[in-house]
């Protein structure tokens, strides 16, 4: 909690939507369709601030849709996403608050159903999916059975860790493909994240 995971998602969103900009450092995006950002945790005010952030970071070159679904049940959230994907050509789906797509992160059947939905959407619609999930306190293990199921099925697992000097570390915990170097970013006075370093190589 409060590790700036959502700011990292904004970095990835900005790279996807703009290709690259002054904030994304070495990150480069290759949009192949609409970006859909689902937020399940924040109220409308903070959700809108989050949704607007990528557009403030650079010129958007792809269709961008955002939805705040805090007020709805897990079933309604999943049904909404499923219906939206059926009716639109989506290239990247972001679910910030994956735990809110299930009733209980330790419910075996419900969690397997939710992860199954992700796998089906990925296969059926040929899209990429980013999910955000908390880790257990004092551990790098993602929360509950949901976290275990996601860890087994995902392509790349990323850990976000705030640093004492104020920067934030994004590191590759595991990947089915090539891992990436440790990445550090910071949030500036305008509330925008920027990559500042890849390992020991600074970017200007």
């Amino acid at each position: 909690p409060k590790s700036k995971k959502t700011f990292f998602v904004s970095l990835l969103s900005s790279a996807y939507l703009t290709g690259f900009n002054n904030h994304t450092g070495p990150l480069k995006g290759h949009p192949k369709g609409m970006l859909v950002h689902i937020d399940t945790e924040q109220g409308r005010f903070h959700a809108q601030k989050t949704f607007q952030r990528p557009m403030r970071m650079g010129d958007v070159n792809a269709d961008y849709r955002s939805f705040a679904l805090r007020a709805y049940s897990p079933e309604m959230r999943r049904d909404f996403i499923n219906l939206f994907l059926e009716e639109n050509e989506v290239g990247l789906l972001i679910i910030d608050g994956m735990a809110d797509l299930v009733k209980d992160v330790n419910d075996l059947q419900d969690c397997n159903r939710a992860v199954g939905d992700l796998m089906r959407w990925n296969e059926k619609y040929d899209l990429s999916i980013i999910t955000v999930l908390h880790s257990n306190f004092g551990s790098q293990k993602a929360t509950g059975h949901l976290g275990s199921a996601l860890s087994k099925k995902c392509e790349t697992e990323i850990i976000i860790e705030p640093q004492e000097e104020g920067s934030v570390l994004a590191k590759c915990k595991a990947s089915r493909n090539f891992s990436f170097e440790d990445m550090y970013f910071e949030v500036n006075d305008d509330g925008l994240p920027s990559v500042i370093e890849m390992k020991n190589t600074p970017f200007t």
Side-chain angles (χ1 to χ4, degrees):
K2 306 299 182 283
S3 65
K4 292 186 169 57
K5 294 185 294 296
T6 298
F7 283 96
F8 182 66
V9 169
S10 294
L11 265 176
L12 299 180
S13 299
S14 181
Y16 182 88
L17 291 168
T18 68
F20 66 93
N21 57 63
N22 292 334
H23 296 273
T24 58
L27 295 176
K28 290 181 173 60
H30 304 279
K32 62 173 185 176
M34 181 190 302
L35 188 159
V36 177
H37 188 161
I38 305 291
D39 186 285
T40 65
E41 296 182 342
Q42 302 182 102
R44 290 186 179 183
F45 174 78
H46 288 99
Q48 285 302 316
K49 287 182 64 177
T50 297
F51 297 149
Q52 291 171 10
R53 196 178 293 138
M55 295 186 289
R56 295 171 55 207
M57 294 167 67
D59 294 330
V60 172
N61 299 317
D63 197 0
Y64 178 36
R65 307 290 179 89
S66 55
F67 302 94
L69 303 184
R70 180 183 184 181
Y72 302 97
S73 68
E75 295 86 353
M76 292 179 70
R77 294 174 185 131
R78 294 210 305 250
D79 288 346
F80 173 83
I81 296 171
N82 190 62
L83 180 61
F84 191 91
L85 295 178
E86 285 182 359
E87 297 181 347
N88 298 273
E89 293 185 9
V90 176
L92 176 60
L93 170 65
I94 296 173
I95 304 173
D96 193 345
M98 184 63 197
D100 293 317
L101 264 62
V102 298
K103 295 179 181 177
D104 183 342
V105 295
N106 288 308
D107 185 306
L108 186 67
Q109 184 175 2
D110 199 26
C111 291
N112 287 344
R113 185 183 301 115
V115 174
D117 282 343
L118 298 182
M119 296 172 66
R120 178 171 55 84
W121 295 335
N122 168 252
E123 181 71 21
K124 183 176 180 179
Y125 301 112
D126 188 28
L127 50 75
S128 299
I129 302 174
I130 296 172
T131 64
V132 178
L133 186 66
H134 292 171
S135 59
N136 293 320
F137 182 76
S139 167
Q140 293 187 351
K141 186 179 183 301
T143 304
H145 176 74
L146 178 62
S148 298
L150 286 171
S151 295
K152 291 176 183 176
K153 302 297 182 182
C154 73
E155 178 185 288
T156 302
E157 192 170 4
I158 300 172
I159 299 292
I160 306 298
E161 293 182 348
Q163 305 297 291
E164 290 184 1
E165 74 277 10
S167 66
V168 183
L169 167 64
K171 65 180 181 180
C172 183
K173 179 181 178 184
S175 179
R176 297 182 187 275
N177 299 305
F178 291 107
S179 62
F180 59 87
E181 295 179 344
D182 289 352
M183 178 189 305
Y184 293 85
F185 69 93
E186 63 183 5
V187 178
N188 65 22
D189 293 339
D190 294 323
L192 301 178
S194 295
V195 176
I196 56 174
E197 187 178 332
M198 289 285 284
K199 271 194 172 176
N200 295 316
T201 305
F203 291 85
T204 57

